[in-house]
Amino acid sequence: MVGKKRLKNSRYISGFDGLRAIGLIGVILYHLMPYTFTGGYLGVPIFMVVSGYLITDLLVQEWQQNNWVNLKSFYVRRIKRLYPGLLTMLLATSAYITLFQRQLLYQLHEMVITNILYVYNWWQIGHGQSYFDRFANNESPFTHLWTLSIEGQFYLVWPFVVVALIVGIKKKNRIAQILLGLSVVSAVWMAILYQPGADPSRLYYGTDTRVFSILLGAATAFAWPSTALKQKVVAQQRLLLDGVGLISAALLLVLMFNLDAENVWVYRGGMWLFSVIVCLLVAVVAHPGSDWNRVLTNPVFNWLGKRSYGIYLYQFPVMIFFESYFKNIADHPILYPVIEVAIIFGITELSYRLIEQPLAHYQYAKLWGQFRQFWAHPKWNRKVGFMTGLSLIGLIALVGLMQAPSQAAPNAHKSALAVNIQKNKKANAKKKAALIAKAKKAKGKTQTPTDQAAEAAAKKNPVNQEFEKYGVTQVALQKAQKLPVTAIGDSVLLDASESLQQVFPNMIVDAAVGRQLYKSTPIIKDYVQKGAMSSTVLISLGTNGSFTAEQLNQFMTAIGSQRQVYWLNTFVPTRPWQNDVNEMLKGAVKKYPNLTVIDWYGQASKHGDWFYQDQVHPNPTGVKEYTAIVAKALVQK
């Protein structure tokens, strides 16, 4: 028997599954290859706009039909729709961490609880979590769940807001204008908080700075309700609708492939404008007189759209766990992502069929009775076996959650690499101020000795004889002793800083763990302003992510064309952006005459024994090789 339809005039708009599919494809591609599909993160505003439109449209329909909104029914539907998949993913991921990746136990219980309460995005902000520092041995498999928290907060308060607006304002167009105004306030707040050169994760995660997408969708629902749209339109109207759909779809795709997440324009109106474009497409798809609902309706999009929630849930855990076991990700830029997508889809399909759909329609009032019946007359079958397996996974997860520490253990991260980086960081902090003062004092003076003088000094006072076995001549080492260098980089440079400063005692090393290019341009400007920037500059950036041509140009412009820049290309085989960075640098040599690329990748890729377990940071042997390669490039020509 078919159940009674809850809303008499509601209609299922299958094209919205197509929009969800487009958003999902963008997000998946962005997370797999963030520096190839630079705008894929814009799939999230698509989800938000569609959610804002659908939820608001349904609430308004319910009010119009019944003159009230059944809050209990609304929240029960949301819980039954969202929590089974979320809880299963959280517990399965926690169980996996407990058994196989125990280094991720730190604060695991806090992450799980805040996700269940839908406040995880604010937990990420409070704990300084970055969405953009993708290189980390302990990268969280829950990073992507911030958006679910924002939508959960929306579901919690929105029925009350809708009823208040309908009762208090009454006119739909006026309500739409108010919501549009609030979306502008949110977008302006994002622009005010944005700081060029700083990590924009606070803006990316914040409910206050991202709610404009949902508000725009809600405003569209009031101004363009699905039940009030004409079934039949004249040819000119259909042409107009389809034309608006075509233009908005084209703009949407262009931006999703090209708009970098760290571009200034994104946070100063760009993401709001993109959401407006999505609203236009949503409005066209919702109209029965347009052809776009049919265009976006096909078996592939329908499958992806209906399973978009599960695919979104499982994508990051699969990626993080898969990539933790394979150290040659950069060598397989196509094969590995295909395998990861296949695993994500496989897990999602199982979750959709065995958990999400059954529990979304399950009558929980029967649960206790069924349990008592089984207890009285145990009968083992496939369903009971499945539930037993889920219970075991939940038990393992609970063990891990109880073991999860709130603070890092005193000896945590005390690997040889971490100890070396910490030691170099402290030692370098003491040296930096003195070297900067010395650089200012020596500004404008001839600083590099002639070959003859260096050779004579080498005969009298040989230095660092150990580097001779690495192919560095004594003449070059003597030159290095006198050469001022400003070195800017990330943890790879920091790892090698002690060795470098033995060979280059006048080298200022400014390096930090997790540093990316976009964070480094202000550092360069500061050195130039202080008069402490040497005429020889060493750069070691790219380990933590790629960069755009615009960011590279800003960086090189800040250094200036009169300084000679030596840039170590990247060896980071565990991350997909390695080849992107190296290709970018290879092309940059043609544009910047003062840029020389040191081929660290070419040497490092042949010697796995040069590295710690992460296959990225050089061990003591690798550090000497790294230093020798730098010395040959800078002074042995």
Side-chain angles (χ1 to χ4, degrees), residues 129-191:
Q129 302 286 305
S130 175
Y131 187 77
F132 301 99
D133 285 344
R134 294 296 311 278
F135 184 81
N137 290 329
N138 297 328
E139 188 175 13
S140 171
F142 304 126
T143 299
H144 64 308
L145 298 182
W146 63 271
T147 182
L148 300 186
S149 288
I150 291 179
E151 293 212 25
Q153 295 158 29
F154 166 68
Y155 295 142
L156 180 63
V157 304
W158 199 242
F160 297 98
V161 174
V162 168
V163 171
L165 288 172
I166 293 174
V167 173
I169 308 297
K170 294 183 177 60
K171 293 183 179 180
K172 290 183 179 180
N173 287 340
R174 180 59 177 162
I175 294 173
Q177 292 170 3
I178 291 172
L179 294 177
L180 176 62
L182 290 174
S183 77
V184 172
V185 170
S186 174
V188 169
W189 180 235
M190 171 183 273

Side-chain angles (χ1 to χ4, degrees), residues 32-36 135 322-337 340 542-543 570-583 601 605 614-616:
L32 286 170
M33 294 173 278
Y35 301 103
T36 301
F135 184 81
F322 181 90
E323 293 174 9
S324 69
Y325 284 104
F326 293 89
K327 303 302 182 183
N328 58 343
I329 298 295
D331 293 334
H332 302 280
I334 303 299
L335 176 62
Y336 283 177
E340 290 176 75
T543 303
T570 298
F571 180 69
V572 53
T574 58
R575 291 297 185 267
W577 55 75
Q578 171 192 271
N579 298 340
D580 292 334
V581 171
N582 292 341
E583 285 299 314
Y601 167 81
S605 59
D614 66 1
Q615 293 298 301
V616 175

Side-chain angles (χ1 to χ4, degrees), residues 494-543:
L494 191 56
D495 178 31
S497 61
E498 181 182 17
S499 178
L500 284 169
Q501 288 179 322
Q502 287 176 353
V503 176
F504 296 92
N506 294 313
M507 176 182 284
I508 299 171
V509 177
D510 195 318
V513 175
R515 180 175 286 168
Q516 296 197 53
L517 182 71
Y518 75 92
K519 295 181 180 178
S520 305
T521 300
I523 296 171
I524 293 291
K525 291 179 179 178
D526 184 58
Y527 276 103
V528 172
Q529 187 177 7
K530 290 178 179 177
M533 178 67 76
S534 302
S535 59
T536 301
V537 182
L538 177 67
I539 305 298
S540 179
L541 291 167
T543 303

Side-chain angles (χ1 to χ4, degrees), residues 450-468:
T450 63
D451 288 351
Q452 295 81 2
E455 187 174 2
K459 292 178 180 178
K460 293 181 181 180
N461 185 26
V463 295
N464 295 328
Q465 293 184 5
E466 62 177 320
F467 281 99
E468 286 185 294

Side-chain angles (χ1 to χ4, degrees), residues 73-93:
S73 176
F74 175 84
Y75 290 122
V76 168
R77 290 196 305 273
R78 291 294 94 202
I79 290 171
K80 291 175 72 173
R81 168 70 179 90
L82 300 175
Y83 268 98
L86 177 64
L87 289 174
T88 301
M89 187 280 289
L90 291 173
L91 293 177
T93 302

Side-chain angles (χ1 to χ4, degrees), residues 218-267:
T220 305
F222 276 105
W224 195 267
S226 64
T227 55
L229 303 174
K230 296 179 180 180
Q231 292 287 333
K232 296 182 180 181
V233 294
V234 299
Q236 288 181 332
Q237 291 173 326
R238 181 182 293 275
L239 185 62
L240 176 61
L241 286 168
D242 289 346
V244 171
L246 180 62
I247 294 171
S248 57
L251 289 172
L252 180 147
L253 292 175
V254 168
L255 292 173
M256 286 185 69
F257 274 93
N258 294 286
L259 188 58
D260 186 84
E262 292 161 28
N263 189 302
V264 173
W265 185 71
V266 171
Y267 303 97

Side-chain angles (χ1 to χ4, degrees), residues 265-441:
W265 185 71
V266 171
Y267 303 97
R268 290 183 172 168
M271 203 178 296
W272 182 87
L273 183 58
F274 178 84
S275 299
V276 171
I277 294 170
V278 176
C279 282
L280 291 174
L281 189 54
V282 164
V284 171
V285 171
H287 202 295
S290 163
D291 291 307
W292 273 91
N293 184 54
R294 180 171 52 83
V295 169
L296 294 176
T297 300
N298 59 68
V300 174
F301 277 7
N302 290 347
W303 189 90
L304 288 171
K306 285 178 168 43
R307 290 156 180 80
S308 60
Y309 179 62
I311 293 172
Y312 191 88
L313 282 174
Y314 287 103
Q315 56 167 321
F316 236 57
V318 169
M319 293 176 191
I320 299 300
F321 297 148
F322 181 90
E323 293 174 9
S324 69
Y325 284 104
F326 293 89
K327 303 302 182 183
N328 58 343
I329 298 295
D331 293 334
H332 302 280
I334 303 299
L335 176 62
Y336 283 177
V338 169
I339 294 173
E340 290 176 75
V341 169
I343 295 172
I344 293 167
F345 283 3
I347 293 175
T348 297
E349 184 64 17
L350 290 174
S351 175
Y352 183 79
R353 290 180 179 273
L354 300 178
I355 296 169
E356 294 175 48
Q357 282 298 297
L359 294 183
H361 302 96
Y362 181 69
Q363 300 297 320
Y364 285 88
K366 300 178 180 179
L367 179 61
W368 178 244
Q370 291 177 338
F371 177 77
R372 289 179 60 186
Q373 183 180 2
F374 174 78
W375 188 260
H377 305 285
K379 183 179 180 180
W380 293 94
N381 52 37
R382 188 177 299 176
K383 184 180 292 186
V384 173
F386 178 70
M387 294 304 299
T388 302
L390 284 181
S391 299
L392 180 60
I393 291 173
L395 182 61
I396 296 171
L398 289 175
V399 171
L401 294 174
M402 288 188 291
Q403 293 176 341
S406 295
Q407 296 182 347
N411 294 324
H413 311 299
K414 291 298 181 182
S415 64
L417 170 62
V419 169
N420 186 58
I421 285 179
Q422 190 62 28
K423 180 190 69 174
N424 289 352
K425 185 177 180 180
K426 290 181 180 178
N428 189 52
K430 296 179 181 179
K431 295 178 183 178
K432 194 185 300 183
L435 287 171
I436 289 175
K438 184 177 180 181
K440 291 179 181 179
K441 196 172 183 181

